[in-house]
Amino acid sequence: MNGKAFKIPLKQYLALLRQYLKPQWKAMLGLAALIVAGIGLQLVNPQIIRRFLDTAQSGGDLKPLLYAALLFILVALLHQGLSVAALYLGEQIGWTATNRLREDLAAHCLKLDMSFHKSRTPGEMIERVDGDINNLTNFFSNFFILLVGNVLLMAGILILLFREDWRVGLTMLVFVLFAIRFIRWIRKFAVPHWTRFRQMNAMFFGFLSEHFGATEDTRANGAAGYVMHRFHSLLRRWLPYRVNAYMGWAAMWITTLLLFTFGTAAALGIISYLWRNGGITIGTAYLIFHYTVMLTQPIEKIRMQLDDLQRADASIHRVRELLDIRPKIADGPVGRLPDGPLAVRFDQVAFRYEDDQEQPTLNGVTFELKPGEVLGLIGRTGSGKTTIARLLMRFYDPQEGAVYVGGEDVRRLKLQTLRRKVAYVSQSVELFRGTVRDNLTMYDEGIEDRRIVEVLEELGLDRWLAGLPDGLDTVLESGGSGTSAGEAPLLHFA
């Protein structure tokens, strides 16, 4: 974990936006229209207040003051309404896009081979699929639209300030350019810390998932103290990453406040000079000050967008890194196998799990099973019994030799075709939180209840089923909680 800074190319940002926002182009246009309309109303309101102040100072009729006040309230209410609508639409766009990305990432992980999943804990994968993508919600919802909108707001304010007095406009233009340049410069120091922070998140939640899933073994073997030692050790390592990441955020926030202070001081100095020389009215003085304060809003929002982007940088890199991993086990061209029992043949199969493994798990294994024949494998632990089953299911491919099912090399078969013809029961029982029916059918609604009951009776689980409060609709807990050590494997066979 070196935590180096990842410079994400612009084309990667654009590729993600194009892929996940293009289907929502109508909503994006609506969001853009709401933001532009809101910008226009923000620029109009100070003009109304200037007219109000200048009219009040002249001591004229009261009616124009009332009209100005009502117009100000109307514009303010309309602006707030547009802001709420833009916020709602932006969040909807963001969550729709991130949920699609989350779905694609989860589906991609399910396609990756066993060697990938064996090297990563479930907690780490949850953090990659959920935690990293949560950091991209704002990126998808309104990052570029708000960035462009705030640039337009700054441009509009500067144009109006130049209209009032070129000296005011020039001073504020220099202030804006310096502020944005300085914020961009300081941002590069914070990105590496967010990268380390996200990586440490994945490691910590992977640790929690691993040990919470094995609490029975941990307590039975008196390892609770060791687990808590590791827990506190990870927390101690995590804290500096978190502190450094948020110190980077704080540095950007404090820098922005200091810049705003200097900008406001410069504006007050110019207003004072122009007022003493009779160059502006009280309303214009307020207008210049108000627009100067307004300039801090888009700069602050740009800073916040860049702050979100520095979090997104690491997440985008990790998401792209995961999506770029290609499964070692790929579909073959053959999509059909003969009906009925199939022959199985291993031909000089050699296999090792790791390339640097000294002794292969299997070496020169050859045997043939004709359709309908039964084979029992007996051997010591690690002799390759489970490995033979995994090669038959094509969870892995052999380094040498070939495995044939129905006379076809399994590497030429489509994975779905092979796995629909070969049943596999692993040594570790995996029951999901769901009904008995869903656990047994894997959510295939085409399997009739009558067939499920027949299978359970054949395995001696008919009394167990009769004792369930809701029959096949009884909800089982994750990991087989609520079933005995004997019932869970039988359910797995079913």
Side-chain angles (χ1 to χ4, degrees):
M1 188 193 305
N2 56 19
K4 67 178 181 179
F6 299 109
K7 186 173 178 59
I8 306 298
L10 178 62
K11 64 180 181 181
Q12 284 197 20
Y13 290 126
L14 296 179
L16 275 176
L17 291 171
R18 183 167 58 250
Q19 182 176 355
Y20 292 100
L21 294 183
K22 188 176 180 180
Q24 303 183 76
W25 65 271
K26 291 182 180 178
M28 293 291 292
L29 285 178
L31 180 60
L34 289 171
I35 290 174
V36 170
I39 289 171
L41 293 177
Q42 281 182 279
L43 295 174
V44 165
N45 244 350
Q47 300 285 348
I48 298 172
I49 297 176
R50 173 169 69 170
R51 180 63 60 88
F52 181 90
L53 292 174
D54 288 343
T55 303
Q57 188 181 31
S58 65
D61 189 10
L62 186 61
K63 187 177 290 186
L65 295 177
L66 292 175
Y67 287 149
L70 289 173
L71 183 60
F72 175 82
I73 293 172
L74 179 63
V75 170
L77 290 175
L78 186 57
H79 175 252
Q80 289 301 314
L82 290 175
S83 297
V84 171
L87 179 63
Y88 172 81
L89 191 56
E91 289 297 316
Q92 187 178 46
I93 291 170
W95 277 104
T96 300
T98 49
N99 282 341
R100 283 192 59 218
L101 176 57
R102 190 178 282 111
E103 176 186 350
D104 289 347
L105 202 59
H108 176 74
C109 290
L110 287 174
K111 293 177 183 176
L112 295 176
D113 50 272
M114 293 298 294
S115 60
F116 169 85
H117 290 285
K118 289 292 184 183
S119 64
R120 290 162 176 84
T121 64
E124 179 184 353
M125 296 311 302
I126 290 171
E127 180 64 15
R128 297 288 287 269
V129 173
D130 187 62
D132 281 331
I133 293 179
N134 278 340
N135 284 333
L136 300 179
T137 303
N138 182 61
F139 172 75
F140 280 117
S141 63
N142 48 29
F143 176 78
F144 278 102
I145 288 181
L146 278 184
L147 195 62
V148 173
N150 285 307
V151 170
L152 289 176
L153 178 59
M154 283 194 299
I157 292 172
L158 290 171
I159 290 170
L160 292 174
L161 287 175
F162 269 106
R163 276 190 61 197
E164 298 302 327
D165 190 283
W166 68 269
R167 290 164 291 189
V168 177
L170 183 61
T171 303
M172 290 300 102
L173 177 61
V174 171
F175 161 69
V176 167
L177 293 176
F178 175 77
I180 293 176
R181 177 70 178 174
F182 195 80
I183 289 173
R184 284 189 60 193
W185 175 78
I186 201 170
R187 173 181 170 267
K188 68 181 181 181
F189 297 105
V191 172
H193 299 301
W194 280 111
T195 303
R196 298 187 190 100
F197 180 59
R198 297 303 312 165
Q199 290 171 328
M200 196 64 205
N201 270 5
M203 182 182 294
F204 180 76
F205 288 112
F207 168 82
L208 287 185
S209 172
E210 181 180 5
H211 287 283
F212 281 165
T215 54
E216 186 174 340
D217 291 334
T218 299
R219 286 178 291 185
N221 291 281
Y226 168 77
V227 171
M228 291 308 299
H229 174 74
R230 284 282 313 280
F231 179 84
H232 289 117
S233 176
L234 285 173
L235 286 180
R236 283 193 296 271
R237 289 175 59 192
W238 197 6
L239 180 60
Y241 294 129
R242 184 178 180 88
V243 169
N244 290 334
Y246 280 91
M247 284 296 289
W249 168 84
M252 291 184 67
W253 178 66
I254 293 170
T255 299
T256 307
L257 289 180
L258 290 173
L259 290 172
F260 291 168
T261 302
F262 287 123
T264 304
L268 289 173
I270 294 175
I271 291 170
S272 176
Y273 170 78
L274 294 175
W275 174 261
R276 284 201 310 269
N277 289 279
I280 57 174
T281 64
I282 187 67
T284 303
Y286 167 80
L287 182 75
I288 294 172
F289 178 77
H290 190 89
Y291 276 149
T292 301
V293 174
M294 279 182 64
L295 270 177
T296 64
Q297 297 176 20
I299 295 175
E300 169 67 7
K301 287 180 180 177
I302 289 174
R303 184 206 53 87
M304 292 173 64
Q305 293 299 311
L306 292 177
D307 183 39
D308 285 335
L309 184 61
Q310 73 187 28
R311 304 184 194 195
D313 276 346
S315 294
I316 289 174
H317 174 82
R318 286 158 58 81
V319 167
R320 292 306 317 176
E321 185 180 52
L322 191 53
L323 288 173
D324 287 341
I325 296 175
R326 303 265 58 89
K328 296 177 182 178
I329 308 299
D331 263 340
V334 179
R336 183 171 177 79
L337 282 169
D339 295 331
L342 300 174
V344 173
R345 179 162 64 93
F346 276 58
D347 184 15
Q348 292 296 318
V349 171
F351 175 77
R352 47 171 49 88
Y353 284 99
E354 303 292 342
D355 293 336
D356 57 354
Q357 185 176 328
E358 292 185 8
Q359 295 294 327
T361 306
L362 298 176
N363 190 18
V365 173
T366 299
F367 66 87
E368 183 174 2
L369 283 175
K370 294 178 181 178
E373 287 188 337
V374 177
L375 173 68
L377 296 175
I378 300 174
R380 60 178 175 77
T381 301
S383 60
K385 304 183 298 297
T386 302
T387 302
I388 287 176
R390 288 173 174 171
L391 293 176
L392 184 61
M393 289 295 295
R394 210 178 166 217
F395 291 154
Y396 300 91
D397 280 336
Q399 282 87 20
E400 297 177 23
V403 178
Y404 296 87
V405 171
E408 197 72 60
D409 189 331
V410 294
R411 285 171 291 201
R412 288 181 42 79
L413 292 171
K414 292 187 180 297
L415 294 173
Q416 188 177 39
T417 300
L418 172 66
R419 292 169 185 173
R420 281 187 171 178
K421 297 293 287 185
V422 181
Y424 176 81
V425 179
S426 66
Q427 298 177 74
S428 58
V429 178
E430 295 291 348
L431 294 175
F432 305 101
R433 191 182 192 285
T435 64
V436 173
R437 180 187 295 103
D438 289 340
N439 268 278
L440 297 180
T441 64
M442 290 302 288
Y443 308 99
D444 184 351
E445 297 179 356
I447 300 176
E448 297 180 355
D449 287 358
R450 176 184 55 80
R451 178 61 182 145
I452 299 173
V453 172
E454 287 176 0
V455 171
L456 291 176
E457 288 176 350
E458 187 177 347
L459 292 170
L461 288 172
D462 45 337
R463 289 186 179 180
W464 173 80
L465 178 63
L468 296 177
D470 299 313
L472 293 176
D473 292 318
T474 302
V475 176
L476 300 178
E477 294 301 322
S478 176
S481 176
T483 59
S484 71
E487 290 163 352
L490 289 175
L491 282 172
H492 206 179
F493 275 110

